[in-house]
Amino acid sequence: MTASFSASDSISIALAGSGGAGVMTAGSILLDAAGQSGWYGCMTRSSGPQIRGGEAAALLRLSRRPTESHDDRFDVLLAIDWHNVARFAAELMLDGDSVVVGDPQGGTMPDAIVALRARHYDVELKKIAKQMRGGRPNMLALGMLSALLRIPLTVVVAVLEAAIGAKGEQVLAASVAGVQRGAELAGAVELGRPVPVVERGETRRWRLTGNEATGLGALRGGVRFVAAYPITPATDCLEWLAARLPRVGGVLLQAEDEMASINQVIGASFGGCPALTATSGPGLALMMESIGLAVAAEVPVVVVDVMRGGPSTGIPTKSEQSDLNLAVYGLHGDAPHVVVAPTSIADCMRTTQWAVHLAEALQTAVIVLSDQALGQTRAVIDKPADVAFVAKRALPGDAEPGAGAYRRYALTESGISPMALPGMAGLQYTADGLEHNESGTPSSQAQDHAAQLDKRARKVAHFNFGESWADVEGDGDMAIITWGSSTGPTREALARLAAEGKPTRLVALRLLSPPQPALLEEALAGVRRVLVVEQSHGRQLYRYLRAHYALPGEVRSLSRPGPLPVRPGEIRQQLTQWSQP
Amino acid sequence: MTASFSASDSISIALAGSGGAGVMTAGSILLDAAGQSGWYGCMTRSSGPQIRGGEAAALLRLSRRPTESHDDRFDVLLAIDWHNVARFAAELMLDGDSVVVGDPQGGTMPDAIVALRARHYDVELKKIAKQMRGGRPNMLALGMLSALLRIPLTVVVAVLEAAIGAKGEQVLAASVAGVQRGAELAGAVELGRPVPVVERGETRRWRLTGNEATGLGALRGGVRFVAAYPITPATDCLEWLAARLPRVGGVLLQAEDEMASINQVIGASFGGCPALTATSGPGLALMMESIGLAVAAEVPVVVVDVMRGGPSTGIPTKSEQSDLNLAVYGLHGDAPHVVVAPTSIADCMRTTQWAVHLAEALQTAVIVLSDQALGQTRAVIDKPADVAFVAKRALPGDAEPGAGAYRRYALTESGISPMALPGMAGLQYTADGLEHNESGTPSSQAQDHAAQLDKRARKVAHFNFGESWADVEGDGDMAIITWGSSTGPTREALARLAAEGKPTRLVALRLLSPPQPALLEEALAGVRRVLVVEQSHGRQLYRYLRAHYALPGEVRSLSRPGPLPVRPGEIRQQLTQWSQP
Amino acid sequence: MKPAESQTPLTFRDYASALKPVWCPGCGDFSVLSAITKALAELALRPEEIALVSGIGCAARIPAYVNAYGFHGVHGRALPLATGLKIARPELTVLVTGGDGDGFSIGGNHFLHACRRNVDLTYIVMDNQVYGMTKGQASPTTEPDWERGKLTPGGPQINPFQPLVIALASGANFIARASSSDPNGAARLLVEAIRHPGFSFVQVLSPCVTYRPEQRHWKKLVRPAPVEATDEPARAARRLLTDDSFNIGVLYRGHRKPYQLAMGSAGDNLTLIEEEFST
Amino acid sequence: MKPAESQTPLTFRDYASALKPVWCPGCGDFSVLSAITKALAELALRPEEIALVSGIGCAARIPAYVNAYGFHGVHGRALPLATGLKIARPELTVLVTGGDGDGFSIGGNHFLHACRRNVDLTYIVMDNQVYGMTKGQASPTTEPDWERGKLTPGGPQINPFQPLVIALASGANFIARASSSDPNGAARLLVEAIRHPGFSFVQVLSPCVTYRPEQRHWKKLVRPAPVEATDEPARAARRLLTDDSFNIGVLYRGHRKPYQLAMGSAGDNLTLIEEEFST
Ligand SMILES: Cc1ncc(C[n+]2csc(CCOP(=O)(O)OP(=O)(O)O)c2C)c(N)n1
Ligand SMILES: Cc1ncc(C[n+]2csc(CCOP(=O)(O)OP(=O)(O)O)c2C)c(N)n1
Ligand code: SF4
Ligand code: SF4
Ligand SMILES: [Mg+2]
Ligand SMILES: [Mg+2]
């Protein structure tokens, strides 16, 4: 993974336009066609405040090697029109080497872009499209970009058929014609850089978003009950699940609010069914009281938080890694639970599946911190390897004493107590969020409280989380600790550094809580400098690490709030400067 | 405050009995009568799970010097009967030097107490009471204890009159007779230790609970709007306010739930009225989403959390300092706000008043972390000094541009922007929990997000919190950092150490967030060992300090979950052992 | 799992747990507890096939006092918890128990939506028009002029919440009122409520002798409803217009199909779903 | 504070802010916005004496589009926020605006209790029977068989929430229905609602052209209610039994006294209160 990765391995394209221009359709088809032609790649959507339509940009990166994150800059900007493109300025990292293509009739190019003095082509997309029967500028754009990338026209047409075939012959024919015409127009455009050459290999590729991968991980882990209240950017994960759960004997319940959804999930799990809900920051905040119930009553639940910009309603459509504090510390009382985070789009599947396994094994709440950048970026990746995490809850054995003698919260050595399920005769008990003794009877006595607090802390602290606690890669006496969607750019930065002969270690934490000081110490043995990379204003990961770990040597933090991701180039630069004597 | 404090300055009494025995009435009257006779002191209630009645213990400490916390041990246990006294065993710190008085006809003395081989007196309270017209054992007990403490009978009678006079002549007469008879019975009891001699001094004494002090602090700070949903142990603070707000032109609104109460408070404050709510852990958890709104929309609000045992419903009637994590870190997104905590019962007033001042000055949410031990302990103290914190919000000046030009979230240097109030002509704006630009218009652009995050962080981080950030006392190269109700026992431990010639520093943090690293560094200059004292299972304060401060020298943590308080003796012992070479 | 115990018929005593209630002597909830155990005995349900779910409050303590599976959750959220349980485990008999504050104040939204959703649950609210557990504040069902609630010294000044009206308006499928002063009558109503498919709501007048001692008189005020139950919402609505809240009996029996998602039905192999991702 | 601006009469245009709505072209909410500005002009209220409070959703975006004080709070909590504001500042005119999801799903409990409490607010719900903002899921008012909600592929299968029925059952003091297809008519209803003391509830049928394009037909279905408004809850309840949800007009005008605590009334000196603590 940290193998050398050079700029010439990938190409980055921004396709922008105003409401109704069909930017997203063209971008998606381009990604698909590229995927079918042997490219890896990803596409992120960026859109304005309008509910529907409004200006939009499809940000694509296509690559010969697996990649799920964006580069430092864009090679190409294709503007179907110039209206409102200025609003994306901060997100479009263009420079003098970029190529800019735009319709001179579609408004004026923003000053910031003019100032770059980049190579620039005027193409009268609108006018040309008008001249064609049913012609649309976005199809011209698609054709141009496909041609520039040398994607075979047959592949584009096949993808078009699958995508818009249902709209009828005429529409399809017009689109195909548009793509063909676009390919011709591309002849005039000189990229000024080589286009990577790709081949369709043997390995099977998947094309999916992190939110879909999360859904699949849940199903694989054994989740058969989901209750949720819609919220951006978690909704599409839920929608994916809603259509698929019934196909595997599961259900999705749309709840009246987040307090309802988390309690429905707790109820289903009390009944023995592995259960999950997904939400985003505001919803997670509302669920915390009841997540505390799951912790105290020891009921397995998985809560996925697809993070967005905060605080409060914040920026619902854009990414940020700023719910770490809430997820780790947001329960009242001492409430040990588990927090995990996927390190890539593909890893959303593995991490969610693992989360289900952990919740069931530990009989507690597991929070999965995904984010909008992982969740809503669509990537072409290698089919992820199967992992063997299954939901397995400790149930009472035959020897369990029944008839009133069952101790639901027995003080076992591991802290995990066999959990009876409704229907098991003689083991009736009452699960309780009040402090209780081993039988579950409410108790306000100091001894019972201490014993149960110890037990709940022990089961989480002493559990063997195995290899999955982090992705540990690379070598050297410098290290980066990071998490979530910041892992992608970090990996890429380290690959570049490795190629420059400056090996650097990566620790991408998949297990955020409970902390694993012994494992991290081992992973960082010999390290003299640690950079903590994350996307939050308050340096939440950095503070969290300080609280629970003793980091070796000098420690620095590279942190920025959303929605702009940390870029590989920035990371590389920071490390390079730091290592200069 | 850290002046020498020896065991002979105070005496600790536990009065226990089963449901209906009237333990609490007797205890309260004893405290009042002691207060009127020149004692300082405090009384904590401990009761069983029953809603009303049920076994109960009144835990009193009376002292020649101001004290608000309990000693390591009890000098006297008076059991009106022995039924269920075993349930309190852990809370009754008795030893071989204690004196135990009990009714031999009222059940059997628990083995744990027999095993102490303490001096023991049988008094047939029930039988003697029965022989008197309207006689009650609790009045006999009251009389015995008053006599042992040399509280003049006239004072006890006066307090009785005030307390139960309304029940009629007969009841009063019977009670007085009971007290008199009890005083006679006390003749047989030998305490085996001197009783401190007190004199009623010149200074005026107050008798109040922390919850009442919190209420008074709110009123003094200028709060005139309170909305709340009842929850133990915050309810009595609210009930105190409900009866008094109308007397100062304020109102208290009982809400349908905690989401309602916090939003009502936000609405009132948006209208310009300093506003507060009080709750406990579960309620605070439910409020977090909307507290984030107050932070993002920059609306001053004060939220008091009277902490109880957690997690989940936990132990509603008993104390714990385990909501620190939630209060400091429990908001989604990066949401800088303020968390303060009173360091004593009297300080509940000052800290709450300060909280109102801070909320108004900083236009943000301030969380006050009180706890059940402070809130529901009744103490006799010196009348607290007046403090000068007033609610003062920055309003737009005359020069403010109106007619659409007003920038509610202007990027000022301090980060504090003048806040228009409804009614001010030409300054209409919309407060928003979505990220916004300076005018309040929603924006999802990176620049606006960064600018507003910076502003909100800046106003809190750069504010001069002044002296109130902590109680810093004492000298020496060892220090204790503590907070809230753990401050009382810590102070007492340090007084003992000082008396032993081992001066030790105290830093009792009143301002928990934002952290004040420079101030703490100064306060700890020259310190080589730091002990962090708190009442939580997860060492929340210790972890929090690690995250945000660089503590000097060696750091240890003395932490235990509720409901048992950390005792002065333990703290002293820990420090003494540590300083042994 | 334990081998099933011998299937001898159980008496109502077998449905009581060994735990002693924390309630004040004389509290109405004692009778409700006994009505519940009687109803369960009458229905001859196996204890392990029953689950009682509650929130927080005096009334909400009931699950631990019944020999059945129980969940004493957080304040106000019993209905969604029970909904999740029943949908995941449709073969269980799920009762939900709690107070008026738990159900109509903090839990009001879930009450509305549980009535609408019509999952096959039986919801028993012990209404004492007060928050007992927190020592005597006004609840949504409290009279506007009750001045002894310490958070509302001048009285709440708000029209009381009408549980039966709201249950009917939001679509509950069975609606009844019982009184703790007649545990046998209450048991009979509960049997009916549990048997009735869909969401059944039973308000039980259950005095709080400590904070509302005047409610001891309720036993003199209650009477059987003058008319039979109806299955027409309009008729039920009309009856409620003249209801003084002391009519005991079944008000409404509806015919709506209970809400149940097809849990556990056989389905695709996961691999088929994964196929969708192949490029 | 700014000197009061010249008191020339304002036109409805003066009540619109400079901000361009984010709504889809054709969204019903445009008309509701215009109805609100017209009503405010008709009432000749000063912009600074008005506050609009909302939660989250497409409809809930309205405050920023009106030239008045506004609060765009969190999802579902507009009513309590407005309640706090109105009680603290009784002289303000406070409107609450939002969608059916915001008001009846996550906000359902506050809706119940706001109706009961009867604070002098006007609550305008733009009902489009869908969650527009989150891209088309079923809301409480959605038909049971609407199959295009992506969280409920087989249709929600739940009886729709009846806003007017619940408003009446919980005690709202003024209840009306308007349609975005007639902004002038809606404006007239809003004027009445705002003038009416206590809690006024106005449901506005406001199509979501993006996720419920079939709602464009609503404009053909709406008609003036066949009968006049009543002040008898029983009569209003009867009318709702035959309501097909397209009757436009005032249904109910009540006479309950608005809830208002005596804010700001002169009182004791704090020292008197402190005296209580002296031993
Ligand atoms: C989130 C939360 N808020 C508040 C409380 C405090 N609380 C416990 S029970 C209760 C009300 C109980 O009233 P009711 O439901 O009528 O039951 P009763 O005690 O009268 O039977 C309240 C407010 C809590 N436990 N949790
Ligand atoms: C606590 C929380 N949960 C969920 C959301 C996501 N959300 C935003 S608006 C909305 C529903 C909007 O529907 P409605 O109120 O009917 O308004 P409309 O968009 O249809 O006008 C939801 C679920 C949120 N912002 N906050
Ligand atoms: S307080 Fe009231 S409701 Fe609670 S147990 Fe006592 S009598 Fe029953
Ligand atoms: S999604 Fe629907 S409700 Fe929202 S703005 Fe568009 S048309 Fe209006
Ligand atoms: Mg009650
Ligand atoms: Mg809607």
Side-chain angles (χ1 to χ4, degrees), chain B residues 296-321:
Chain B
E298 304 200 40
V299 181
V301 293
V302 178
V303 180
V304 177
D305 171 10
V306 186
M307 295 181 288
R308 63 193 216 181
S312 196
T313 314
I315 308 185
T317 53
K318 298 191 178 177
S319 207
E320 194 165 75
Q321 296 184 298

Side-chain angles (χ1 to χ4, degrees), chain B residues 391-403:
Chain B
K392 197 168 174 331
R393 209 180 281 187
L395 302 179
D398 286 342
E400 195 69 51

Side-chain angles (χ1 to χ4, degrees), chain B residues 121-142:
Chain B
Y121 298 95
D122 281 337
V123 185
E124 299 189 313
L125 293 165
K126 195 165 173 186
K127 193 168 142 198
I128 300 170
K130 258 214 177 123
Q131 290 158 356
M132 303 173 66
R133 191 193 173 89
R136 296 196 62 203
N138 67 332
M139 289 298 119
L140 296 174
L142 173 61

Side-chain angles (χ1 to χ4, degrees), chain A residues 225 227 251 253 260-273 275, chain C residues 53 77-90 92 94 117 119 121 260 263:
Chain A
F225 183 96
V251 299
L253 194 62
S261 56
I262 180 69
N263 278 283
Q264 286 164 347
V265 160
I266 294 171
S269 176
F270 172 73
C273 181
Chain C
V53 178
R77 316 293 169 200
L79 284 171
L81 202 151
T83 299
L85 175 59
K86 178 72 186 178
I87 286 183
R89 296 288 308 275
L92 299 175
V94 182
R117 196 178 277 118
V119 172
L121 301 169
Q260 179 62 46
M263 184 78 209

Side-chain angles (χ1 to χ4, degrees), chain A residues 159-433:
Chain A
V159 173
L160 262 179
E161 259 174 30
I164 62 167
K167 296 192 178 177
E169 290 273 323
Q170 279 194 354
V171 175
L172 182 63
S175 297
V176 170
V179 168
Q180 275 164 332
R181 181 80 181 88
E184 292 160 27
L185 294 169
V189 177
E190 180 56 64
L191 280 186
R193 55 153 286 170
V195 172
V197 180
V198 297
E199 269 165 54
R200 170 97 209 188
E202 282 305 287
T203 49
R204 287 186 50 199
R205 299 270 165 87
W206 274 17
R207 199 204 41 156
L208 80 181
T209 65
N211 275 343
E212 292 168 347
T214 297
L216 181 59
L219 296 187
R220 281 192 173 187
V223 166
R224 292 297 178 270
F225 183 96
V226 175
Y229 187 71
I231 186 167
T232 309
T235 314
D236 39 20
C237 172
L238 296 165
E239 290 178 342
W240 187 90
L241 280 164
R244 284 151 192 91
L245 272 161
R247 293 171 50 187
V248 293
V251 299
L252 183 140
L253 194 62
Q254 182 179 327
E256 57 270 30
D257 59 25
E258 284 88 351
M259 275 75 67
S261 56
I262 180 69
N263 278 283
Q264 286 164 347
V265 160
I266 294 171
S269 176
F270 172 73
C273 181
L276 171 149
T277 184
T279 185
S280 190
L284 183 64
L286 286 173
M287 290 181 189
M288 291 316 273
E289 192 217 0
S290 296
I291 294 178
L293 173 65
V295 171
E298 304 199 40
V299 180
V301 293
V302 178
V303 179
V304 177
D305 171 9
V306 186
M307 295 181 288
R308 63 193 216 181
S312 197
T313 314
I315 308 185
T317 53
K318 299 193 177 177
S319 207
E320 194 166 77
Q321 296 184 299
S322 57
D323 293 350
L324 176 63
N325 278 345
L326 174 64
V328 169
Y329 293 118
L331 296 164
H332 69 277
D334 291 299
H337 61 289
V338 177
V339 181
V340 297
T343 60
S344 71
I345 292 171
D347 195 60
C348 286
M349 187 182 84
R350 176 217 177 123
T351 297
T352 310
Q353 189 172 346
W354 189 41
V356 181
H357 165 76
L358 293 176
E360 295 285 323
L362 288 165
Q363 298 176 24
T364 193
V366 178
I367 298 176
V368 180
L369 289 179
S370 177
D371 59 39
Q372 186 273 337
L374 294 173
Q376 297 195 316
T377 297
R378 183 170 295 282
V380 176
I381 56 171
D382 288 320
K383 176 180 190 310
D386 276 4
V387 286
F389 301 122
V390 286
K392 195 165 174 335
R393 209 179 280 188
L395 302 179
D398 286 342
E400 195 69 53
Y406 169 59
R407 291 171 306 131
R408 163 67 186 101
Y409 302 108
L411 298 172
T412 58
E413 204 186 311
S414 66
I416 298 165
S417 323
M419 178 175 181
L421 304 180
M424 297 183 179
L427 304 182
Q428 295 86 298
Y429 76 98
T430 295
D432 210 318

Side-chain angles (χ1 to χ4, degrees), chain A residues 289, chain B residues 229-232 258 279 282-283 286 308 313, chain C residues 29 56-60 74-75 77 98-103 106 126 128-134 137 139 208:
Chain A
E289 192 217 0
Chain B
Y229 187 72
I231 185 166
T232 308
E258 284 87 353
T279 185
L286 287 173
R308 63 193 216 181
T313 314
Chain C
D29 296 348
I56 298 291
C58 297
V74 296
H75 190 37
R77 316 293 169 200
D100 41 315
D102 191 67
I106 192 168
M126 283 143 266
N128 54 14
Q129 305 179 352
V130 77
Y131 293 176
M133 181 64 101
T134 49
Q137 300 78 26
S139 92
C208 171

